[in-house]
Amino acid sequence: MLYAAVAVRSFRRYSTYTAATLAGIFTNSVFGLIYSYAYIELWRAAPHAGGYTTTDAVTYVWLGQSMIMTVAMWSGGTTDDLNERIRTGDVSIDLYRPVPVLWWYYAGDLGRATYHFLTRGLAPSLIGLVLFHIRGPATPAAAVGFAASVFLAVTVSFAIRFLVATTAFWVLDSSGIRLMSAILSMALSGMVLPLNLVPGVAGTIVNALPWASYVQVPIDVYLGRHHGTDLLAALGFQALWAVVLLGLCGWVLERATAKVVVQGG
Amino acid sequence: MSLIDVRDLARTFVVRRRNGALTRSRSEVRAVHDLTFSIGAGEMVGYIGPNGAGKSTTIKMLTGILVPSSGRLRVAELEPSRQRTELARRIGVVFGQRTTLWWDLPLRDSFELLQKIYRVDAARHRRNLEEYVELLDLGDLLDTPVRQLSLGQRMRGDITAALLHDPEILYLDEPTIGLDVISKGRLREFLRTLNAERGTTLMLTTHDLQDIEALCDRVIVIDHGTAVFDGPLGDLHHRGESRRTLVVDLVDEAPPIAVPGAETRKVEGPRQWLTFPAGASAAPIVAAVAASYDVADLSIQEPDIEDVIRQIYAGG
Ligand SMILES: Nc1ncnc2c1ncn2[C@@H]1O[C@H](COP(=O)(O)OP(=O)(O)OP(=O)(O)O)[C@@H](O)[C@H]1O
Ligand SMILES: [Mg+2]
């Protein structure tokens, strides 16, 4: 099947950059250490902040580090290729092939995410396990839910990165928009600080935004904070954003194609 | 019924330019206009013209990645921009300046993906791949990532990629750009074989007129967006002011030779260059020169196709 082949090729492609992977794991682990000590102090001062125990909080840190590359929070997904191909005009070749561009890049990004999850995701968490005895998934349901949630996290982040990349169809230099998007993802995903710590209305809002899908939701699922229908609701929240954003991607791509094909780029 | 049918085709681009902080001007570029031609199955057509003439724009419309502003366009009885995906299965495109291969993947992987994209059945894919790998000498390169290939190697890979699904038509937009003489020669040889054995219709744009001389029985010259010549390569010579040159080496230096039917263009010591219309016979001129001067040697230069085309461009 074409998309499986695309995902496999993409997985293999990223696996050739071993040095980058090792350097990345090192960096994630260093940040994991720093955050862990900071969180431990924080939770000593405010026990059960956000409803997390200290072990939960440290687990949150390491899983957060593991999610960074899995969802390609800053960059590094196949959406970077798309951005570059739009900039150089090579995207017209993508448009000309009898394959829908959106699914092509999505399949590639899933292959990439699988590779990054297995390397840059798993490795820091193992270090966290050895050094800080972080928790395993709360229940079997939480483990299965976590897998589904990570998949949806990648999908939502892909859709947002895809939208950001396609701005290159309309603006000459999209690096500013990409930077802004990276900052938003970092702040609003819960990677720096769990979104549950944000008080009041602001907290409700950030928890409802798509970026919460990146880190906050998968980790809460892992920690077993959602049970039964609540677990389904958490996954449904991610799925809803995934569908809405992918729909938006399709619409934007249609406009972009029209622009290239009708206006000539 | 011709395979490619173009009638009164036109394409304008709207260019918006910012002139100052607030003012913007909007101008229209007529990239292609009043373009009419048709190409039959199995033809090899050279599509030439100076920079900015509209060659790439035409190819883009033929492949369906650009919508014409007006006119009629049919390729294999399909309307390219509306039936782009259907058409894509029947045509191959090679853009000399772009690659359809995946930069980070070994050549082999790109070919496998293309098999799946075009849904070529496995046996046919294997047969085609074997043949093109053999003909284009790609055997040792199959496991090399595309980014490590030289330009010539990449081009051979791109051509294979464009042919794996057995297209009826192959468009080549500057396929020999940047290649050395030997690689160009091999590529031309390959394209000739492809056309002879599979009957693939070829349309190529190039700035290398040797490509045309080696491959195409027919040329379409486009200038300022419209065709200024369409016919056999040989006929180009008879057009316009095309002239042959008679180079005369005299025994001694002499004032410029004056004989009827020829013009003396240049004198350098005992050597003189006379030109006469390409359509006229050289015999009376040679005879007239020999009758009145002491001639040591004579030679005739055929008009250079580049000169001919330059004249067409200049006249257009
Ligand atoms: N997307 C576009 N927007 C505006 N103008 C364009 C666009 N594409 C092409 N043009 C203009 O249309 C004209 C024809 O361009 P085209 O690329 O078809 O030329 P070409 O014959 O391929 O030239 P070259 O030999 O340099 O490749 C040029 O004047 C070019 O500037
Ligand atoms: Mg061109």
Side-chain angles (χ1 to χ4, degrees):
Chain A
M1 192 223 170
L2 173 64
Y3 296 115
V6 172
V8 169
R9 294 305 182 297
S10 179
F11 182 102
R12 259 195 240 151
R13 169 189 157 194
Y14 281 90
S15 68
T16 56
Y17 302 115
T18 316
T21 302
L22 291 175
I25 290 171
F26 178 76
T27 313
N28 291 143
S29 303
V30 170
F31 276 101
L33 273 175
I34 296 170
Y35 273 108
S36 292
Y37 288 118
Y39 273 35
I40 288 169
E41 283 312 307
L42 210 67
W43 260 262
R44 205 197 302 280
H48 295 283
Y52 298 107
T53 64
T54 308
T55 313
D56 285 348
V58 174
T59 304
Y60 191 104
V61 166
W62 290 94
L63 291 182
Q65 290 298 315
S66 297
M67 288 304 286
I68 293 176
M69 267 323 283
T70 306
V71 300
M73 195 169 293
W74 293 309
S75 66
T78 56
T79 41
D80 287 4
D81 304 339
L82 175 65
N83 189 264
E84 183 61 16
R85 287 176 73 80
I86 296 170
R87 210 181 54 76
T88 59
D90 283 350
V91 72
S92 60
I93 290 174
D94 299 339
L95 295 176
Y96 145 82
R97 289 202 181 101
V99 183
V101 171
L102 180 60
W103 303 130
W104 174 273
Y105 281 94
Y106 180 46
D109 208 55
L110 287 179
R112 173 208 63 76
T114 307
Y115 172 74
H116 280 147
F117 181 75
L118 294 177
T119 53
R120 298 202 44 187
L122 229 47
S125 283
L126 286 175
I127 290 172
L129 180 67
V130 172
L131 298 181
F132 294 89
H133 308 291
I134 64 169
R135 291 179 49 181
T139 59
V144 174
F146 179 65
S149 182
V150 169
F151 165 74
L152 290 168
V154 173
T155 306
V156 171
S157 101
F158 166 78
I160 289 180
R161 286 179 283 120
F162 190 94
L163 289 172
V164 170
T166 49
T167 57
F169 278 112
W170 290 275
V171 298
L172 282 179
D173 182 6
S174 58
S175 57
I177 298 171
R178 294 170 69 198
L179 180 67
M180 207 172 71
S181 159
I183 291 170
L184 283 178
S185 331
M186 195 164 70
L188 299 176
S189 62
M191 191 219 89
V192 178
L193 213 60
L195 300 176
N196 293 345
L197 299 184
V198 181
V201 183
T204 311
I205 291 173
V206 291
N207 272 300
L209 293 175
W211 291 281
S213 302
Y214 287 25
V215 174
Q216 183 70 52
V217 177
I219 296 180
D220 280 350
V221 169
Y222 179 96
L223 292 173
R225 289 168 61 110
H226 301 292
H227 300 282
T229 48
D230 195 26
L231 175 60
L232 290 180
L235 297 177
F237 162 77
Q238 288 180 296
L240 187 66
W241 272 121
V243 169
V244 168
L245 290 167
L246 284 175
L248 198 57
C249 288
W251 181 75
V252 167
L253 195 61
E254 221 169 84
R255 307 310 299 264
T257 309
K259 180 176 149 56
V260 171
V261 171
V262 179
Q263 291 173 27
Chain B
M1 177 74 209
S2 46
L3 195 54
I4 301 174
D5 198 31
V6 174
R7 208 164 304 153
D8 302 319
L9 189 67
R11 172 70 217 204
T12 32
F13 291 109
V14 176
V15 188
R16 288 189 184 79
R17 216 174 273 110
R18 207 185 279 264
N19 303 338
L22 293 170
T23 53
R24 272 165 165 245
S25 66
R26 181 179 179 283
S27 60
E28 286 195 349
V29 179
R30 283 209 303 175
V32 166
H33 64 94
D34 300 311
L35 185 63
T36 299
F37 63 82
S38 64
I39 294 177
E43 280 196 84
M44 289 205 266
V45 178
Y47 193 54
I48 59 179
N51 291 128
K55 301 181 295 297
S56 298
T57 304
T58 311
I59 301 275
K60 282 181 192 161
M61 287 192 279
L62 289 171
T63 55
I65 54 180
L66 192 64
V67 179
S69 305
S70 66
R72 191 189 128 92
L73 184 57
R74 288 287 181 280
V75 177
E77 279 161 52
L78 299 173
E79 191 180 336
S81 59
R82 289 228 186 125
Q83 293 159 295
R84 177 154 37 107
T85 22
E86 215 180 319
L87 184 66
R89 296 180 194 285
R90 302 181 57 179
I91 62 175
V93 194
V94 175
F95 296 101
Q97 325 250 34
R98 303 191 188 289
T99 183
T100 51
L101 304 167
W102 287 275
W103 215 238
D104 287 298
L105 294 180
L107 213 40
R108 187 191 298 283
D109 285 34
S110 282
F111 295 154
E112 281 168 14
L113 284 178
L114 286 164
Q115 180 208 341
K116 297 205 160 57
I117 289 177
Y118 290 100
R119 302 202 192 113
V120 183
D121 75 64
R124 191 155 64 103
H125 176 76
R126 216 176 314 112
R127 227 180 314 119
N128 281 346
L129 190 59
E130 256 169 39
E131 182 177 340
Y132 294 129
V133 163
E134 164 83 35
L135 281 172
L136 289 164
D137 197 19
L138 285 169
D140 296 334
L141 301 171
L142 283 176
D143 294 307
T144 313
V146 172
R147 71 183 125 82
Q148 289 172 15
L149 296 178
S150 77
L151 185 61
Q153 293 167 340
R154 202 214 76 205
M155 182 52 68
R156 284 183 273 150
D158 257 309
I159 289 180
T160 304
L163 291 173
L164 285 172
H165 59 288
D166 290 326
E168 295 154 59
I169 307 171
L170 180 63
Y171 300 107
L172 302 125
D173 194 356
E174 302 193 37
T176 54
I177 194 165
L179 302 193
D180 65 34
V181 180
I182 296 176
S183 307
K184 281 183 184 177
R186 278 211 212 110
L187 185 55
R188 289 172 193 146
E189 183 59 44
F190 170 79
L191 293 174
R192 240 194 322 265
T193 312
L194 180 76
N195 173 263
E197 289 182 0
R198 301 212 173 200
T200 309
T201 306
L202 254 55
M203 179 168 178
L204 76 144
T205 81
T206 180
H207 289 289
D208 185 339
L209 297 170
Q210 284 175 352
D211 289 344
I212 305 290
E213 287 189 315
L215 289 172
C216 305
D217 323 309
R218 175 178 167 200
V219 278
I220 298 173
V221 181
I222 178 175
D223 192 18
H224 296 293
T226 198
V228 292
F229 176 85
D230 180 354
L233 186 58
D235 284 7
L236 257 184
H237 294 304
H238 300 301
R239 228 190 98 103
E241 314 279 271
S242 176
R243 294 173 82 85
R244 291 197 281 175
T245 307
L246 177 68
V247 184
V248 184
D249 282 321
L250 298 174
V251 176
D252 298 303
E253 286 187 30
I257 295 170
V259 290
E263 254 176 66
T264 305
R265 286 280 166 88
K266 195 161 107 180
V267 180
E268 243 178 55
R271 177 172 287 191
Q272 304 205 3
W273 284 263
L274 282 68
T275 68
F276 56 97
S281 164
I285 296 164
V286 172
V289 171
S292 336
Y293 298 86
D294 246 350
V295 177
D297 198 7
L298 280 173
S299 66
I300 294 176
Q301 290 173 354
E302 289 302 316
D304 196 347
I305 182 154
E306 291 191 44
D307 286 337
V308 175
I309 287 167
R310 209 170 294 132
Q311 274 162 3
I312 291 181
Y313 294 166

